[in-house]
Amino acid sequence: MSNILLVGIDGSEPGERAAEFAANVAQAQGAKLLIAYVIEWSPYSFSTAEENEVRHKRREEEIETANSKLMEPLLNRLKSGNNDIEGLVLHGHPAKTLNYIAKDRGASQIFVGRTGGSGISRLLFGSVASNLVQTAKIPVTVIP
Amino acid sequence: MKTRLMKALIGIFCVTGIIALISLPVYAQTQERELSSMQEWVKGIEIPGLGYRSWVTGIQPPEAIVVEEKTGIDAAVDKIMSPINAVIYNAVFFSVPFFGSDLKLVVAWLVIGAVFCTFYFRLVNIRGFTQALRLVRGDYSKPDDQGEVSHFQALATALSGTVGVGNIGAVPVLIVLGGPGAVFWMIVAGLLGMSSKFCECTLGVKYRNENPDGSVSGGPMYSLKKGLAELGKPSLGKVLAIFFAITVVFGCLGAGNMFQANQAYVQFVNVTGGENSWLVGKGWLFGLVFAVLVGVVIIGGIKSIAKVTEKVVPFMAIIYVIGALIVLGMNFDRIPFAISSIFTNAFSPEGMAGGFIGVLILGFQRAAFSNEAGIGSAAIAHSAVRTKEPVTEGLVSLLEPFIDTVVICTITALVILTTVYGDPTVSHLTGVGLTSEAMMRSVAWFPTPLALAVVLFAFSTMISWSYYGLKGWTYCFGESKATDISFKVIFCIFVVIGCSIPLTSVLDFSDAMIFAMAIPNILGIYFLAPIVKKEMDSYFARVKSGEIVNYRKLNAGS
């Protein structure tokens, strides 16, 4: 069974550090690295009919922006040392989605930066890292 | 462009033709009644002295607030509209005497359509209920597809168009007119309406257009056009589609716009001091502010206001339900009486005009006007969902009549029945005023949030209907920036008109238009029901076999 490591990034500096850290670990272990960026999105939010109509288009634009602004530069930077790296951009609840990817791809470990989510939502629901620590079924490494 | 214009002309020609054909014999018979007064159209149902009351929401603006004498524009518009309106109104709301009561054929048309769907789809309203809840909860949403419009969002959007002033203000009118027994029939009709809603929304998603830019346009006009073309009846489909598109535009401008704006204004005046409010007679000013707000949302694309209302409205609905439940809790000793009166009066109403059948008709009418099942409007909102299975959207949509009629309207009814029902001191009140009084008796400050809820409901209903109207408009004139903007500007102008002058005949006309939407829509349901049934059977079979994955179960299992 091949070893797969998953790292969640959010565009923040700790997230970046987590990716670099995970890349080093992956290189040392000869593991595959999955980098996931989750666009925060709730299926239970309210929207107008006109927003719904163009939602599909918006979603693709959001994924496109995340790929070109965040994922690709990061992948290019990390790929110099590693061969087996894959980037994923998904919508959803960050912690739940990371758990889903981990299960779906059979990852053995999750890496995340300490900050994740911001402002009131973090105050209310805790950070992605603390959420993952409590819900993940595999080991979680939190990078400060 | 030329073909579009031709289509529109043919459509208008057909509409007038059909209406003229239907109404000519009727017109002669009803002329006498109609001449006596427009209020007479609900002989035996209308309360004397109530004046104009919209059929869609069942509420009547207090006389003291609307401008009394007819101004220049008002008189002019009324003069143009009255003869046209008389013909169309009588055609759509043509009533036949039925066991001593007036039965509006369009209501019968809606109810027969709902009964047909309920049996044809083998009680899908009951069988599909739990599956609908699971879909809304997201059990069947693939995590990789997150970010598309969810079932929950589609349901909330469609609900904000149907839950409105009528849920608060029209139910008291129903009880005043038909007694507690009418509530029973309203609930029955709400349950039946779930099936017709299921069918129309499934069709809307199945036959929607996916535009080159990735956006979608759907609704009965598309399902009629494409669906009937599949059945080898392309020209019939086109005619019905254009008919639907035209009626949705007019219905939108009237009941979906002017009436809502007017109601918001009336409630605003009531809260700010009633007859002494400085806003009295300044409807145009209120209308202007309202029009700017609406314009900012629909033309300016300032999503923040739309977002705020779309977020606040569901909460208002929940707060309204909670407030009503508090009132019920404080009057719990009267609840057994309320419930027993709903059941006993349903079959043997005491002292009600038209007896059993009269009460039944009233209840059915209220439900049809409230949840819009069979009208086809919600199908437009639901079509935006990107799903591989049109049936899932239909299933989700069947929750709408349930929430709107079976839950919210029934709660309002219980509030009235446990508090002010039978009290002679409130006989001067009706509509929202009666609900307000009923709640005030238990909690003195409830009328203020209630008024806020009414204004917000009106606003969100207008936003939803502007979209429905726009889809009808672009179906007729093509999708382009220019057609888009022109409709929205017209829409805003009508907001100001709606607040400024009591356009009785225009509102009658638009009510008629809303119900005229049901004619092509239900015809389409009859033609296309076998297709929906095939999809439904296949969907349920695949859910049972596990071919359609329940992601919640899948994740819980690990």
Side-chain angles (χ1 to χ4, degrees):
Chain A
M1 188 188 122
S2 69
N3 195 5
I4 297 174
L5 305 181
L6 171 67
V7 57
I9 60 164
D10 59 353
S12 73
E13 224 177 282
E16 204 102 318
R17 279 203 295 278
E20 281 162 15
F21 182 83
N24 289 334
V25 176
Q27 199 173 20
Q29 294 183 357
K32 180 187 164 87
L33 182 65
L34 275 177
I35 304 181
Y37 176 66
V38 181
I39 302 168
E40 230 179 319
W41 185 83
S42 166
Y44 306 114
S45 64
F46 299 105
S47 55
T48 60
E50 289 206 298
E51 283 178 301
N52 289 350
E53 182 188 304
V54 295
R55 184 60 224 164
H56 178 68
K57 207 167 76 181
R58 289 272 172 287
R59 178 178 181 264
E60 301 202 322
E61 284 169 7
E62 283 164 12
I63 294 175
E64 178 55 37
T65 317
N67 265 326
S68 60
K69 289 257 161 69
L70 205 73
M71 194 55 89
E72 275 160 23
L74 184 68
L75 285 178
N76 287 336
R77 207 142 46 77
L78 296 178
K79 257 187 182 154
S80 51
N82 285 269
N83 302 323
D84 208 0
I85 299 191
E86 192 187 336
L88 286 171
V89 177
L90 278 152
H91 281 74
H93 181 276
K96 273 187 196 159
T97 309
L98 287 175
N99 275 331
Y100 162 74
I101 300 170
K103 186 172 181 257
D104 192 48
R105 299 297 198 92
S108 59
Q109 228 193 115
I110 303 179
F111 297 82
V112 277
R114 186 149 64 195
T115 53
S118 60
I120 298 174
S121 73
R122 196 173 147 209
L123 204 68
L124 286 174
F125 305 112
S127 69
V128 177
S130 58
N131 197 328
L132 271 178
V133 166
Q134 290 180 17
T135 57
K137 302 235 159 59
I138 51 176
V140 178
T141 307
V142 180
I143 286 89
Chain B
M1 206 59 215
K2 213 172 172 187
T3 48
R4 290 247 152 72
L5 196 69
M6 280 296 288
K7 265 194 233 163
L9 284 175
I10 293 169
I12 293 167
F13 179 76
C14 293
V15 175
T16 35
I18 293 167
I19 289 168
L21 270 178
I22 302 171
S23 55
L24 271 177
V26 182
Y27 189 62
Q29 284 170 21
T30 50
Q31 210 168 20
E32 196 185 331
R33 194 173 75 173
E34 164 209 323
L35 281 177
S36 64
S37 147
M38 271 313 283
Q39 293 167 19
E40 283 278 306
W41 34 256
V42 270
K43 234 193 226 159
I45 302 177
E46 185 76 67
I47 310 171
L50 258 189
Y52 171 73
R53 176 157 53 79
S54 166
W55 268 110
V56 175
T57 52
I59 306 163
Q60 173 258 330
E63 307 262 336
I65 290 155
V66 290
V67 184
E68 288 282 315
E69 75 252 39
K70 300 228 162 186
T71 57
I73 317 166
D74 191 12
V77 177
D78 260 5
K79 204 175 163 192
I80 303 165
M81 290 301 298
S82 286
I84 307 171
N85 170 56
V87 174
I88 294 177
Y89 194 93
N90 280 306
V92 176
F93 288 131
F94 176 49
S95 310
V96 287
F98 187 71
F99 290 103
S101 294
D102 277 347
L103 172 63
K104 289 189 180 57
L105 281 186
V106 68
V107 173
W109 176 248
L110 283 168
V111 172
I112 292 168
V115 171
F116 166 79
C117 285
T118 304
F119 289 104
Y120 188 77
F121 298 116
R122 294 189 309 269
L123 304 179
V124 67
N125 49 350
I126 298 163
R127 283 196 309 141
F129 193 76
T130 47
Q131 183 69 9
L133 289 177
R134 281 189 214 118
L135 283 165
V136 171
R137 203 167 61 177
D139 289 9
Y140 293 89
S141 322
K142 199 166 181 237
D144 299 280
D145 293 342
Q146 294 281 303
E148 300 282 0
V149 179
S150 66
H151 288 304
F152 177 87
Q153 284 171 328
L155 176 68
T157 309
L159 265 179
S160 73
T162 48
V163 175
V165 187
N167 295 61
I168 300 174
V171 177
V173 178
L174 171 73
I175 295 176
V176 169
L177 299 177
V183 177
F184 177 85
W185 296 111
M186 177 189 78
I187 296 170
V188 170
L191 292 170
L192 291 172
M194 291 162 76
S195 309
S196 39
K197 198 84 142 192
F198 162 78
C199 185
E200 69 186 26
C201 289
T202 306
L203 287 172
V205 174
K206 188 170 166 59
Y207 291 108
R208 66 172 166 210
N209 263 13
E210 298 201 9
N211 304 324
D213 66 351
S215 64
V216 284
S217 291
M221 49 280 185
Y222 295 95
S223 48
L224 285 166
K225 187 182 160 199
K226 292 196 205 165
L228 291 190
E230 256 177 34
L231 295 180
K233 297 184 180 66
S235 37
L236 176 67
K238 273 182 195 160
V239 170
L240 290 177
I242 283 283
F243 182 101
F244 183 87
I246 292 169
T247 51
V248 76
V249 169
F250 283 111
C252 150
L253 291 176
N257 176 343
M258 288 196 288
F259 182 73
Q260 301 293 333
N262 192 283
Q263 280 302 298
Y265 167 59
V266 167
Q267 288 311 311
F268 215 76
V269 168
N270 278 344
V271 175
T272 53
E275 282 169 47
N276 304 318
S277 168
W278 65 275
L279 267 172
V280 171
K282 294 200 183 68
W284 58 271
L285 181 66
F286 183 88
L288 214 57
V289 175
F290 223 60
V292 168
L293 284 175
V294 170
V296 163
V297 173
I298 64 173
I299 302 174
I302 306 293
K303 296 282 184 267
S304 51
I305 296 182
K307 278 227 164 81
V308 169
T309 36
E310 297 305 314
K311 281 185 171 79
V312 169
V313 164
F315 284 115
M316 288 314 280
I318 294 164
I319 288 170
Y320 172 72
V321 169
I322 292 173
L325 289 177
I326 291 172
V327 172
L328 288 181
M330 292 169 75
N331 299 290
F332 71 95
D333 54 316
R334 296 256 295 170
I335 292 177
F337 156 77
I339 291 173
S340 74
S341 70
I342 287 175
F343 282 97
T344 51
N345 284 283
F347 300 98
S348 52
E350 292 154 26
M352 285 299 159
F356 160 64
I357 296 289
V359 170
L360 180 143
I361 291 171
L362 276 174
F364 277 18
Q365 255 170 211
R366 182 64 255 141
F369 298 160
S370 180
N371 61 40
E372 293 170 18
I375 304 280
S377 50
I380 302 176
H382 277 286
S383 303
V385 176
R386 215 176 181 81
T387 170
K388 291 180 197 88
E389 304 283 345
V391 174
T392 57
E393 225 20 62
L395 285 170
V396 168
S397 73
L398 65 74
L399 295 173
E400 277 163 44
F402 185 81
I403 296 172
D404 177 277
T405 308
V406 182
V407 177
I408 302 185
C409 282
T410 307
I411 284 178
T412 305
L414 286 174
V415 165
I416 302 290
L417 289 174
T418 54
T419 53
V420 291
Y421 179 65
D423 185 342
T425 60
V426 294
S427 58
H428 63 289
L429 290 170
T430 182
V432 179
L434 193 60
T435 314
S436 191
E437 168 77 20
M439 293 188 116
M440 192 170 74
R441 291 205 174 172
S442 302
V443 183
W445 51 268
F446 267 6
T448 311
L450 189 70
L452 188 67
V454 169
V455 173
L456 282 168
F457 280 159
F459 190 73
S460 75
T461 305
M462 282 164 74
I463 302 287
S464 295
W465 268 94
S466 79
Y467 181 77
Y468 301 157
L470 177 67
K471 287 289 128 182
W473 184 267
T474 53
Y475 183 85
C476 294
F477 302 111
E479 309 235 11
S480 80
K481 204 88 200 141
T483 49
D484 200 275
I485 294 289
S486 57
F487 176 77
K488 288 171 175 174
V489 170
I490 294 171
F491 191 83
C492 290
I493 294 170
F494 272 81
V495 176
V496 185
I497 300 176
C499 288
S500 321
I501 38 183
L503 295 167
T504 313
S505 55
V506 175
L507 289 176
D508 281 348
F509 173 76
S510 82
D511 279 6
M513 277 296 151
I514 287 215
F515 285 92
M517 286 162 71
I519 299 169
N521 187 45
I522 292 193
L523 263 180
I525 287 179
Y526 289 136
F527 278 117
L528 300 170
I531 296 171
V532 175
K533 191 174 190 178
K534 228 167 95 189
E535 294 237 350
M536 180 188 80
D537 289 343
S538 136
Y539 176 78
F540 277 120
R542 277 176 295 147
V543 168
K544 212 173 169 191
S545 73
E547 193 184 327
I548 291 170
V549 183
N550 182 332
Y551 288 92
R552 174 180 283 255
K553 266 192 192 153
L554 192 76
N555 288 332
S558 65

